[in-house]
Every structure is written in C-alpha cells, then in structure tokens.
Amino acid sequence: MSGLIEDYALIGDMQTAALVGRDGSIDWLCLPHFDSPACFAALLGDEQNGNWWMRPANGEPRAARRRYRQETLILETEWDTPEGTVRVIDFMPPRGGAPHIVRIVEGVAGTVRMQTALRLRFDYGNVVPWIHRSGTELVAIAGPDAVWMSSPVPLEGHNFVHDATFTVSAGQRVPFVMTWHPSQVEESDHLDAEKALSRTERFWRQWVDQCTYEGQYRDAVVRSLITLKALTYRPSGGIVAAPTTSLPEEIGGVRNWDYRYCWLRDATITLEALIRSGYTDEAQAWREWLVRAVAGEPQHMQIMYGVRGERRLAEWEADWLPGYENSRPVRIGNAAVGQYQLDVYGEVMDVLHLARRSGLHGGEHVWGLQRSLVNYLEWCWDEPDEGLWEVRGPRQHFVHSKVMAWVAADRAVRMIEDFGKEGPIERWRALRDTIHAEVCEYGFDSKRNTFTQYYGSKELDAALLLIPEVGFLPYDDPRVIGTIEAIREDLMVDGFVMRYRTDREGTADHLPGDEGAFLACSFWMANALLSIGREKEAGELFERLLALRNDVGLLAEEWDAKNNRQVGNFPQAFSHVPLVTTALNLSHHNGHRRGPDPSEGAAGTED
C-alpha cells in the first residue's frame, strides 16, 4: 500500500514532479511532464504499478527524520540502524535537456547495508517495459518512453523488478541517476550527480533570495513559494493545481479528480502572492500564460487549460488501478473543462487589472481581449452556471459567480477611469449596477442576514467570504459581517471551513459521499476575520492551519478532521497560495483590506 498522503515529500524540476515517501519509495512520477502518463503509479495502487525504493536492508523502513535542505527543494531522508546512520538525498535538477531523478546515498555513521528496487511501469502502471543493458547503464523501453539508469551499483533483474544490495560507510556517497528520453534517442545524457546537486542547491538558494517577505511566518511562506515554483511549468509559466490525480477528497469515495492542469480560478490570488513576495518574473510569466491560454472567442473560454494552454483535457478512467486506498475511479483528464463557469470572466478581468496596476507590462491586444470578454459577458451574465466548485449537478444562479461577473464589469470600468482605456464606460457602469442590484436582491437572505450559495437557496458557500475581498461590498457592511458569522456557524466543522455542506439533502454538487475541509476556505476565513478587526481569532485559525502541514511543510487540498489526516491532491497550490497571502496580511496587521496594495505607485505605468 502507498503511505498516508502527508507521508510524501515533493521533488521536481519545474516541468514535472515526484512524490517520495517516508519509507524511501518514489511512488508517483509522470514523465516527461506533469500531465504525461506516470511511470511510477504505486500511489494509486501498489508497487506492481511502479515505484523506486531505497532503504536500509535491516531496520524500520520508515525513516527516522527528513527535511529539505534549507530554502531548497532538495530532500534529505535519514535512517538510524543498529549498524549506523544513512542519508538519502533526493532531487531533480532544474531541467536543461532531459529530466533526471538523482538519489545519492550517503553514509553518516558506521556501515549500513542498503537495498534498492526499481519497478518501471509506463502508462500509469499498465505497461511493463523491455529492459536491457547498454554498457554500464540499464535501459527500459516501451513505446515512446525510455528510461536510463546509471549507478556504480549494478541492478539485477528478476520477476519484473531490478534490485540490488550494497553497503555504504561513513563519508561514502553512492549516486543513482535515472534519466528519461524519447525511445528513439539511443543514448542518455550523462549527468554528474555531485555537480548536479551543487547546481540545484545554488539555483534554489538564489531564487529564494528574491523573496521580500521577512515576517514571523517566513519559513512557512518560503516553503509555500518553493512549492508554487515547483508546480510551475517553466516553459510556459502555467502553474498546475497539483502534480497528482485522483487522490480522494474522501477515503474510499468517488470525489477523485485530475489536478495536473491550470485553473483560471487561481489566477488573481496567485498573481497577488507572487507580486507581494517579490517574484515579478514569475507573476509576469503566469499572466502571459493566461493571456495566451484564453485568447480566442470569449464564448469558448474555459475554466482550465493544460500547462501549455491545451484545451482538450478529455476525462477517462484508468480501470486497472485500484485507486488510493481503494478510492475509485482513478480519473485521467477532467470533464469539468467543458463546464460553463461564469466566474472565470471575473477572474481574468481581475488578474489583468491587478497586473496593470502592479506595473506588469502588456500590449494593447490585452485590452482588446478584455473588451471582448466584457462585451460577451453583457449577453450571458444572467444565465445559471456550474459555479466555482465545478458541481456536477444542475446549473444554478450561484451568488459567487454573479459577484465575479460584477468584478468583470467593475474592472473594465476602472481600466477606463484609471488608465484612460477606450470603451463604453456608461454601458459598463450600468451593467455593473444591474448585477450588483440583482445579487443583493436575490442572493441575500435578509432573515438570516447572509448571502446564500445560489438564488433561492438556504445553503451557504465559503466562496461568499470573497465578496468584500473583490470589492463588491466593504468589510464593515452589516451584510458582509452577517455572512462571515453565518459561515462560521454553519460551515465551520472541527475548527475548519467546509466549501459547502455535503451532508444534507439536495447538495449542489449531486455527488455521493462527503469531503474534508477545503483548506483554502479556512485561509479565506482567517483573512475575513482579520479584516473585520478580529486579529486574535484570525491568528489562532492561521496557526491551526499551519499545524496541519506535514513534517516538510506541505499541504494537500483538504483536511479530514474525523481521521486527522490530509486528503485530496497533493501538494495543492490552492492551499499554499492563500497561506502566503494570509501570512503577509497577518504580518502587516491590516484590518480592512487584503494587505499592502501591490500596485501602489504603479498607476502611471504605461503598457
């Protein structure tokens, strides 16, 4: 069986990533890119679906301790045995040509007998490769994929696994380098493991040096920023929601989705976190990815895209995989790509307005794109949609979606007012006012003094916490305060915030089963509490959230309070990004806005 979700650490090269367990097993890796088929898929099955483990031959498989080298993505895992202590250093060098996984076994004390076993299974654990030797290297080939293994330790094959036993003494270092190539390439790139380690450490240290945040939560912020960087597809600037698919929101349930894609819903908060932390190059790349991805007819804009901007993300099921802890189905692709979500128009308009205010340069074509989006929105804003949470039930008039339609109109008006852009300002002002009035009339329950999940509903939605965040109403408006209080009362379970209730009749998503507390929602609540002057409660909630991180500082999508464990895809950008913004807000003690405006002083910058 695979380990607990929180038992894993992340390594990556900014084009793909691997999950390494506390037992020294790499149980998930897609090559050559995030959205490629996995060659190690034990995470969603067992070792027969592919993994590569490295551990002492004697003693406890689970490591005694592990950590990232300070301010890097280099993982160090240590075991103590009766014979001595050994360390395994795992990393992926920032990619130049081919992707590499490097594992260096280092003797710390005594002489330790080690074992390693490599099971390559291409196509999500479905294809056993043909393996042969080429000189001192092991070569595995199947279809378009080839993996080369280089090490001074020879691996011997039997029963579709290649393994070895060797010893390492104090001060000795034994390298293993695994390299992927297209199968038509006859020879692998030869990588010096020690030089690659030095280069990788230098890369991450220099990148972290750009971070401008020096507050009390710096360690947590830096680890989250490194994670966000690791989830960035460097050639395009796109950021995947997570490097995994089908890690369940409920153990044994069906809420299992493929998150190896880029969602527009993440755009504004990601851009804000990057700008406020000093990473303008990454912010610019993310904005440019978004502009390229959504280019085209506005009615064809999607809620998500592939890392290179792909639009076709067809969903299918890998029925040969039993799923993480028997959580079926295992889904590849995401059918939500075809949903109609009105909020994405607001997300795009908001992030482009924020980028403009923050001094990120773009061309006049960007304003042309914005104009076309708002022109289209005028004709479609009053239609029901599937909403932010991608429900698979009937479309509804979701309040958050309507609020984001208001955001789109508002940002269009402000682009004209603040930056002198040309457009039908009076018409767009009227659109903005019409949407605002409708939301306040049909999306607000005056008896309970709260906004609701959708028009006519009695249910709540954590996304309503964003109403003041986007400027729809001020934080001191009684309707905002009432909504915050109602969400605390109804959606806060065991100290954390649910997206919406799934344990009552008529739930909006029409899916069976339950789910954990969506961590981003709890960060939103901490920000909301801070912004209405409840700094102590906000700080306490934030500390509870920080305590949920695993031993190397990583968060999944959700928290299962019943079983005290992380659930959902891992690590999750939509958990780490609001961690950064909440930490910055708490450090600056802002009571009525979401932290220092990253655009201050930039209003006069020309595109």
Side-chain angles (χ1 to χ4, degrees), residues 23-38:
D23 60 355
S25 180
I26 300 177
D27 286 347
W28 182 254
L29 173 65
C30 299
L31 287 173
H33 303 126
F34 290 112
D35 55 354
S36 300

mmCIF file of all heavy atoms in Angstrom, residues 23-38:
data_model
loop_
_atom_site.group_PDB
_atom_site.id
_atom_site.type_symbol
_atom_site.label_atom_id
_atom_site.label_comp_id
_atom_site.label_asym_id
_atom_site.label_seq_id
_atom_site.Cartn_x
_atom_site.Cartn_y
_atom_site.Cartn_z
ATOM 1 N N ASP A 23 9.193 6.112 3.578
ATOM 2 C CA ASP A 23 9.849 4.807 3.510
ATOM 3 C C ASP A 23 10.886 4.741 2.402
ATOM 4 O O ASP A 23 11.384 3.666 2.067
ATOM 5 C CB ASP A 23 8.808 3.706 3.311
ATOM 6 C CG ASP A 23 7.995 3.881 2.033
ATOM 7 O OD1 ASP A 23 8.176 4.919 1.350
ATOM 8 O OD2 ASP A 23 7.186 2.992 1.719
ATOM 9 N N GLY A 24 11.207 5.898 1.796
ATOM 10 C CA GLY A 24 12.229 5.933 0.752
ATOM 11 C C GLY A 24 11.743 5.508 -0.606
ATOM 12 O O GLY A 24 12.551 5.297 -1.520
ATOM 13 N N SER A 25 10.429 5.417 -0.798
ATOM 14 C CA SER A 25 9.875 4.965 -2.072
ATOM 15 C C SER A 25 9.337 6.147 -2.862
ATOM 16 O O SER A 25 8.558 6.951 -2.345
ATOM 17 C CB SER A 25 8.757 3.949 -1.837
ATOM 18 O OG SER A 25 8.213 3.513 -3.071
ATOM 19 N N ILE A 26 9.748 6.256 -4.130
ATOM 20 C CA ILE A 26 9.146 7.216 -5.048
ATOM 21 C C ILE A 26 7.932 6.526 -5.656
ATOM 22 O O ILE A 26 8.056 5.594 -6.451
ATOM 23 C CB ILE A 26 10.137 7.661 -6.141
ATOM 24 C CG1 ILE A 26 11.362 8.327 -5.506
ATOM 25 C CG2 ILE A 26 9.460 8.625 -7.111
ATOM 26 C CD1 ILE A 26 12.424 8.730 -6.508
ATOM 27 N N ASP A 27 6.742 6.975 -5.277
ATOM 28 C CA ASP A 27 5.505 6.282 -5.635
ATOM 29 C C ASP A 27 4.705 6.998 -6.722
ATOM 30 O O ASP A 27 3.674 6.485 -7.150
ATOM 31 C CB ASP A 27 4.616 6.120 -4.401
ATOM 32 C CG ASP A 27 5.127 5.054 -3.450
ATOM 33 O OD1 ASP A 27 6.013 4.282 -3.843
ATOM 34 O OD2 ASP A 27 4.644 5.005 -2.299
ATOM 35 N N TRP A 28 5.158 8.195 -7.141
ATOM 36 C CA TRP A 28 4.431 8.903 -8.198
ATOM 37 C C TRP A 28 5.413 9.743 -8.999
ATOM 38 O O TRP A 28 6.191 10.508 -8.444
ATOM 39 C CB TRP A 28 3.365 9.815 -7.601
ATOM 40 C CG TRP A 28 2.554 10.536 -8.645
ATOM 41 C CD1 TRP A 28 2.647 11.858 -8.990
ATOM 42 C CD2 TRP A 28 1.548 9.979 -9.499
ATOM 43 N NE1 TRP A 28 1.760 12.165 -10.004
ATOM 44 C CE2 TRP A 28 1.067 11.015 -10.334
ATOM 45 C CE3 TRP A 28 1.012 8.699 -9.640
ATOM 46 C CZ2 TRP A 28 0.073 10.812 -11.293
ATOM 47 C CZ3 TRP A 28 0.018 8.494 -10.594
ATOM 48 C CH2 TRP A 28 -0.446 9.541 -11.393
ATOM 49 N N LEU A 29 5.378 9.558 -10.312
ATOM 50 C CA LEU A 29 6.197 10.358 -11.216
ATOM 51 C C LEU A 29 5.624 10.254 -12.619
ATOM 52 O O LEU A 29 5.419 9.149 -13.132
ATOM 53 C CB LEU A 29 7.652 9.873 -11.222
ATOM 54 C CG LEU A 29 8.573 10.530 -12.262
ATOM 55 C CD1 LEU A 29 8.745 12.023 -11.984
ATOM 56 C CD2 LEU A 29 9.934 9.837 -12.298
ATOM 57 N N CYS A 30 5.347 11.405 -13.223
ATOM 58 C CA CYS A 30 4.908 11.465 -14.614
ATOM 59 C C CYS A 30 6.056 12.019 -15.449
ATOM 60 O O CYS A 30 6.640 13.040 -15.091
ATOM 61 C CB CYS A 30 3.678 12.376 -14.755
ATOM 62 S SG CYS A 30 2.245 11.820 -13.811
ATOM 63 N N LEU A 31 6.358 11.356 -16.564
ATOM 64 C CA LEU A 31 7.452 11.794 -17.427
ATOM 65 C C LEU A 31 6.983 11.846 -18.879
ATOM 66 O O LEU A 31 6.232 10.967 -19.312
ATOM 67 C CB LEU A 31 8.639 10.820 -17.308
ATOM 68 C CG LEU A 31 9.435 10.899 -16.013
ATOM 69 C CD1 LEU A 31 10.471 9.767 -15.957
ATOM 70 C CD2 LEU A 31 10.126 12.241 -15.868
ATOM 71 N N PRO A 32 7.408 12.911 -19.586
ATOM 72 C CA PRO A 32 8.380 13.925 -19.165
ATOM 73 C C PRO A 32 7.777 15.167 -18.502
ATOM 74 O O PRO A 32 8.511 16.010 -18.030
ATOM 75 C CB PRO A 32 9.043 14.321 -20.487
ATOM 76 C CG PRO A 32 7.948 14.157 -21.500
ATOM 77 C CD PRO A 32 7.151 12.979 -21.043
ATOM 78 N N HIS A 33 6.419 15.270 -18.462
ATOM 79 C CA HIS A 33 5.787 16.482 -17.960
ATOM 80 C C HIS A 33 4.737 16.156 -16.907
ATOM 81 O O HIS A 33 4.374 14.987 -16.714
ATOM 82 C CB HIS A 33 5.162 17.274 -19.116
ATOM 83 C CG HIS A 33 6.121 17.637 -20.199
ATOM 84 N ND1 HIS A 33 5.920 17.334 -21.538
ATOM 85 C CD2 HIS A 33 7.333 18.254 -20.140
ATOM 86 C CE1 HIS A 33 6.944 17.746 -22.255
ATOM 87 N NE2 HIS A 33 7.821 18.308 -21.437
ATOM 88 N N PHE A 34 4.220 17.190 -16.227
ATOM 89 C CA PHE A 34 3.211 16.997 -15.189
ATOM 90 C C PHE A 34 2.039 16.148 -15.677
ATOM 91 O O PHE A 34 1.531 15.295 -14.948
ATOM 92 C CB PHE A 34 2.648 18.352 -14.730
ATOM 93 C CG PHE A 34 3.592 19.208 -13.940
ATOM 94 C CD1 PHE A 34 4.076 20.387 -14.479
ATOM 95 C CD2 PHE A 34 3.974 18.847 -12.660
ATOM 96 C CE1 PHE A 34 4.935 21.199 -13.757
ATOM 97 C CE2 PHE A 34 4.825 19.647 -11.923
ATOM 98 C CZ PHE A 34 5.324 20.831 -12.470
ATOM 99 N N ASP A 35 1.572 16.424 -16.904
ATOM 100 C CA ASP A 35 0.364 15.785 -17.417
ATOM 101 C C ASP A 35 0.654 14.568 -18.274
ATOM 102 O O ASP A 35 -0.251 14.033 -18.926
ATOM 103 C CB ASP A 35 -0.480 16.792 -18.200
ATOM 104 C CG ASP A 35 0.309 17.482 -19.316
ATOM 105 O OD1 ASP A 35 1.534 17.264 -19.408
ATOM 106 O OD2 ASP A 35 -0.306 18.254 -20.075
ATOM 107 N N SER A 36 1.914 14.097 -18.289
ATOM 108 C CA SER A 36 2.271 12.876 -19.018
ATOM 109 C C SER A 36 1.822 11.652 -18.227
ATOM 110 O O SER A 36 1.579 11.726 -17.015
ATOM 111 C CB SER A 36 3.784 12.813 -19.240
ATOM 112 O OG SER A 36 4.242 13.918 -19.988
ATOM 113 N N PRO A 37 1.722 10.496 -18.874
ATOM 114 C CA PRO A 37 1.424 9.270 -18.125
ATOM 115 C C PRO A 37 2.498 8.971 -17.086
ATOM 116 O O PRO A 37 3.683 9.242 -17.301
ATOM 117 C CB PRO A 37 1.396 8.196 -19.224
ATOM 118 C CG PRO A 37 1.055 8.945 -20.469
ATOM 119 C CD PRO A 37 1.736 10.272 -20.331
ATOM 120 N N ALA A 38 2.072 8.423 -15.962
ATOM 121 C CA ALA A 38 3.002 8.105 -14.876
ATOM 122 C C ALA A 38 3.809 6.857 -15.205
ATOM 123 O O ALA A 38 3.295 5.899 -15.781
ATOM 124 C CB ALA A 38 2.241 7.909 -13.577
#
